[in-house]
Structure formats: structure tokens, C-alpha cells
Amino acid sequence: SIITVILNILIGFESWLCIHYATLFFILQIGKKIFSNLKHKEMNNKKCKILFDMTPYEIISAFISGIIVMFYFINRHWILNDIICFCLAFTTLSFIVLKSFMLCFVCLFSFFLYDTFWVFFSERIFSENVMVVAATSIQVPIKIEFPILFSNSPIKNCMLLGLGDILLPGLIIKYSRRFDLISEKSEIKKRKKGMNFFEYNLLLYFISVALAMIMMFVFNHGQPVLFYISPIFIIGLMLKAYKES
């Protein structure tokens, strides 16, 4: 239908923009390593008038992005899906910034309630698990897919990690990194020995995802990762903040 075509065009364009931004970032980093500073600045400032005043780096990035999006819509391969999701997450985390720990806690608690309702209570109202159906039936790059060998997996033959399970903790981990940098430069607060907030949050995220995977196989049922991320982050951050005074 026309609506489906329009949606695919919008999804393709959004995916291309995010991949273009992410690949351009990495190409610029590679360019700094390969070329001298003078040559790198020359290539970064040189623009092609025929191609909308794009630099050589931007042309390469745009070409790679277009190839990835085109092949994704041709075969919907999980590797291409994961590349697009990674670029979406990378671009989003590059632009969005949380301003305070209170906002972090509000987001965690809100999404905890949201995930809990749609995964554990939506089946009683809509006669099917809305979150699981959406995660397994919607063929758009909104989730990371990990193929596994177990045929009796709760969600077909792959494990899924939604973008929300990456972006929300990612924003909090990003904020904690900024907090650590500010704290290290401040003469008022001297950081104690041990893990800083950034390293501590990375550990909390690893524990949360690992626990969700374990519970998925124990109960043979898809688990909302934010259901584990939110309380572990909230309790863990409170304990860490109390310890750091």
C-alpha cells in the first residue's frame, strides 16, 4: 500500500542519515590516523560543487550509508539490521543529554512501569503479549538481534535487545561520564579510590542484561530488559552516591 511505501521511505531516509553521521565520525577518525594533519584538514575542507558541496569524507560516508540501507531493504539481514540500530543509538546518544540525576531517576522509574505493564499485564487486556508481538513481528531496525543455536528459545531463534534498552541506560552512562570529568577537574571534591560512576554504571548495565538473559531461559519467556535495568540502576546509583558522600 501507499502508506507502507511512505513509511519505508521515511525509515530508509532516517536510517541513511544516522549511518551517514556515524560512519562520517569514524571516517574522520581514520583520516586523522592515516593522513598528516595538513592533508587531513585539506581533505576535510575540500568541497565538491557537483555533489552539494560535500567533502571527500562526506561523499564516502554517504555512499557507504546508501549501500547499507539498500541491501537492508533487499534481504533484511540481521547484521545489517544491527549496524543500522548501532548507528541510530550512536547518533541519538551523540545529541541527547540528560541534565541531572533526578531526571535519570524519573526516566528509569517511568520506563520500569511502562515495560512492566506491556510485558506482564497487556495479555490480560489485549489477549496477547503486545510487547513480544511488536518485537517479533515489526520488521524495522528498532532492535538488536542475536541469533542463537537453541531451537526452543522463547523468541524464535534469536535474542532481541530493543533500542530503548540501549538508549536509556546509555544516556545515564553518558551523564555519569560527564559527571566524573567535572568531578575530576573540581578542586572542591576529591574522588575516592575505586570505580568512578562511569565504570560503575557499565558494570550495572552488564549485570542487568545478563540477569535478563538468565531469567529468559529459566522462565522460557521474553523478558523486558528495562524491568531489570531500572531497579538495578536506581538502587546501585543510590548506594554509589551514598558511598561517595
Side-chain angles (χ1 to χ4, degrees):
S1 64
I2 297 176
I3 297 177
T4 304
V5 173
I6 294 174
L7 286 175
N8 282 326
I9 292 174
L10 291 174
I11 292 169
F13 181 67
E14 179 195 16
S15 301
W16 179 83
L17 281 177
C18 293
I19 299 171
H20 176 55
Y21 177 83
T23 53
L24 181 60
F25 173 83
F26 289 110
I27 288 173
L28 287 171
Q29 301 305 312
I30 294 172
K32 289 181 182 179
K33 299 291 185 181
I34 296 177
F35 303 109
S36 62
N37 290 334
L38 183 62
K39 182 67 175 177
H40 174 69
K41 289 180 180 179
E42 181 183 343
M43 291 187 65
N44 200 27
N45 293 326
K46 185 179 180 181
K47 295 185 178 181
C48 179
K49 294 182 178 180
I50 300 176
L51 296 173
F52 308 102
D53 287 336
M54 297 174 69
T55 66
Y57 290 138
E58 290 172 338
I59 294 172
I60 295 171
S61 174
F63 177 75
I64 294 174
S65 306
I67 293 294
I68 292 174
V69 172
M70 181 182 69
F71 277 101
Y72 169 75
F73 280 101
I74 290 175
N75 60 13
R76 308 275 181 173
H77 197 276
W78 68 270
I79 294 179
L80 298 175
N81 174 84
D82 290 358
I83 291 173
I84 295 175
C85 286
F86 169 80
C87 293
L88 284 169
F90 180 87
T91 305
T92 304
L93 291 173
S94 298
F95 287 99
I96 299 179
V97 179
L98 296 180
K99 296 294 184 180
S100 67
F101 264 124
M102 182 58 68
L103 183 57
C104 296
F105 284 125
V106 170
C107 290
L108 284 169
F109 186 71
S110 300
F111 279 95
F112 172 75
L113 296 178
Y114 173 85
D115 250 22
T116 301
F117 171 77
W118 286 110
V119 173
F120 295 108
F121 298 101
S122 63
E123 192 169 355
R124 301 179 183 179
I125 300 174
F126 303 101
S127 71
E128 59 183 356
N129 193 312
V130 176
M131 191 70 79
V132 173
V133 172
T136 55
S137 60
I138 299 178
Q139 296 299 317
V140 292
I142 58 172
K143 56 187 179 294
I144 300 288
E145 299 179 2
F146 301 96
I148 54 178
L149 301 176
F150 305 105
S151 59
N152 60 342
S153 173
I155 307 179
K156 297 184 178 179
N157 291 319
C158 64
M159 292 185 291
L160 310 176
L161 186 64
L163 276 179
D165 303 326
I166 300 172
L167 292 179
L168 180 58
L171 288 171
I172 296 169
I173 292 171
K174 177 184 176 180
Y175 176 83
S176 67
R177 178 58 178 164
R178 291 175 61 243
F179 179 83
D180 286 330
L181 291 175
I182 294 171
S183 298
E184 288 171 5
K185 294 178 181 179
S186 174
E187 295 179 358
I188 300 174
K189 180 182 181 297
K190 294 183 179 179
R191 189 176 69 83
K192 298 178 181 179
K193 293 182 179 180
M195 287 190 296
N196 55 28
F197 276 91
F198 174 72
E199 297 166 342
Y200 186 73
N201 280 336
L202 283 178
L203 178 62
L204 291 180
Y205 185 66
F206 173 79
I207 294 172
S208 304
V209 175
L211 182 60
M213 291 175 60
I214 293 171
M215 299 307 287
M216 180 184 72
F217 287 107
V218 169
F219 293 102
N220 198 35
H221 187 280
Q223 299 293 315
V225 182
L226 281 177
F227 181 78
Y228 301 93
I229 290 175
S230 296
I232 289 176
F233 263 63
I234 290 174
I235 296 172
L237 283 173
M238 289 177 67
L239 292 173
K240 177 67 173 175
Y242 177 78
K243 182 181 178 182
E244 295 283 337
S245 303

